[in-house]
Amino acid sequence: MSTRKVLVVEDEEAIRQMIVFNLSRAGFEVTEAGDSATARRLIADARPDLVLVDWMLPDSSGLELTRALRREKHNRGLPIIMLTARVEESDKIAGLNSGADDYITKPFSSRELLARINALLRRSAPSDDEPLQAGDLKLDPVSHRVTAGNEKITLGPTEYRLLKFLMGNPERVYSRGQLLDNVWGQNVYVEERTVDVHVRRLRSALEQFAVDHYVQTVRGSGDRFSTR
Ligand code: CA
C-alpha cells in the first residue's frame, strides 16, 4: 500500500509540531495547515487520505471547515477526525453532526491518536467487493467485468488492475512510480515506460466505448481518473 497522507489543521504550533512529529515517525506523509483557508488549498492540491481538524482555528472553526468540506462532492467521503479541548457531550455531538467521523479530546496520547487514525482509515477503505462507477463506466470487482452502459469492455489483466486502482482513487494524480507500486506491486522490476504502454492500451480500450476521457494524463505528473 502507498504511504498514507494526513493533513493536520491546527493553529497552535507546539501541538501541531508534536502531531506532525508523531505521525511522520509512524510512517505517514504529513502536511500541515494553521488555518482553514490553507487547509482547503492543501486538500485540493495534496488530496490527503485523512484530515485532523482542530475545533478552534483563527479564520473559521473546525466545525465550519468540516461542514464546508462535506458539502463538496469530492470531499464528502474524506475521513475527518476533530481535535478539541472541549469535553462536554453536547460539543462532541456537534462535532459529529458537522460531519466529522471521529473525535479526540485534548490532551491525547500519540498512541491513542494513531489508533484512531488507523481505525478510521480501515473503516474508510472502500470494500474490495463494491462496484466502482463513473457515469456509464462500471467496474465490478466480483465478476471482474467492466461495462460501458450495456456494452462489455474487454481489458487485459494489467489494464483491469490499472483501471480498478485509478477508479478506486479518483481525482488524484499518480506518477508512473506510484502506479508501479500500487498496480504492479513493490519489489517488481518493471520499467516505468511499461506503465505508459498499459495506460495507452487502457485508454484505447475505453475509447471504443467513448469512456476514455475519465483516464487523464497530466503532463509531467502522471495519470488520474477524473469525472471532471
Ligand atoms: Ca486551535
Side-chain angles (χ1 to χ4, degrees):
M1 189 182 282
S2 59
T3 308
R4 301 304 208 110
K5 292 192 270 190
V6 176
L7 170 64
V8 181
V9 191
E10 162 68 275
D11 58 316
E12 277 167 83
E13 182 98 26
I15 296 176
R16 193 174 73 229
Q17 293 312 325
M18 186 266 291
I19 296 172
V20 169
F21 173 79
N22 284 311
L23 295 186
S24 304
R25 201 174 50 174
F28 290 98
E29 189 182 322
V30 192
T31 45
E32 46 187 300
D35 55 64
S36 294
T38 310
R40 298 296 297 269
R41 202 176 60 240
L42 287 172
I43 288 166
D45 293 348
R47 297 303 306 166
D49 296 297
L50 185 143
V51 184
L52 292 177
V53 181
D54 186 42
W55 184 295
M56 299 294 281
L57 294 168
D59 48 352
S60 72
S61 75
L63 282 180
E64 287 168 302
L65 173 63
T66 304
R67 282 200 193 102
L69 290 169
R70 288 295 183 244
R71 282 195 293 269
E72 298 169 358
K73 191 174 165 218
H74 290 107
N75 292 319
R76 209 161 285 158
L78 181 65
I80 298 174
I81 297 177
M82 186 83 73
L83 304 176
T84 180
R86 303 176 187 217
V87 290
E88 290 93 344
E89 199 63 19
S90 62
D91 289 334
K92 178 170 180 170
I93 290 162
L96 293 173
N97 279 347
S98 74
D101 299 287
D102 201 358
Y103 188 100
I104 302 182
T105 306
K106 292 177 189 170
F108 48 82
S109 67
S110 74
R111 197 211 247 162
E112 183 187 2
L113 179 65
L114 286 168
R116 300 286 193 97
I117 288 175
N118 286 323
L120 179 54
L121 285 173
R122 267 198 305 276
R123 285 207 300 280
S124 321
S127 150
D128 244 15
D129 292 348
E130 249 168 72
L132 300 166
Q133 183 148 18
D136 265 359
L137 180 62
K138 192 171 168 189
L139 184 149
D140 181 359
V142 176
S143 63
H144 272 237
R145 186 164 283 197
V146 180
T147 48
N150 294 321
E151 311 269 10
K152 183 169 179 283
I153 305 178
T154 307
L155 296 176
T158 304
E159 285 72 55
Y160 172 82
R161 283 205 306 275
L162 190 56
L163 180 63
K164 186 180 173 207
F165 174 73
L166 289 172
M167 274 186 98
N169 299 277
E171 310 302 338
R172 201 183 289 198
V173 178
Y174 290 94
S175 68
R176 290 187 292 184
Q178 287 172 323
L179 288 176
L180 276 178
D181 285 352
N182 285 290
V183 178
W184 278 259
Q186 276 157 346
N187 311 317
V188 173
Y189 183 76
V190 182
E191 279 185 73
E192 293 197 345
R193 252 193 337 215
T194 308
V195 176
D196 297 344
V197 173
H198 289 281
V199 169
R200 267 203 304 277
R201 250 184 237 167
L202 170 61
R203 196 178 289 116
S204 80
L206 298 178
E207 201 178 355
Q208 298 169 41
F209 301 92
V211 286
D212 56 308
H213 55 279
Y214 294 125
V215 178
Q216 304 168 358
T217 295
V218 181
R219 191 182 281 269
S221 301
D223 299 283
R224 75 172 160 222
F225 188 92
S226 175
T227 53
R228 284 180 274 191

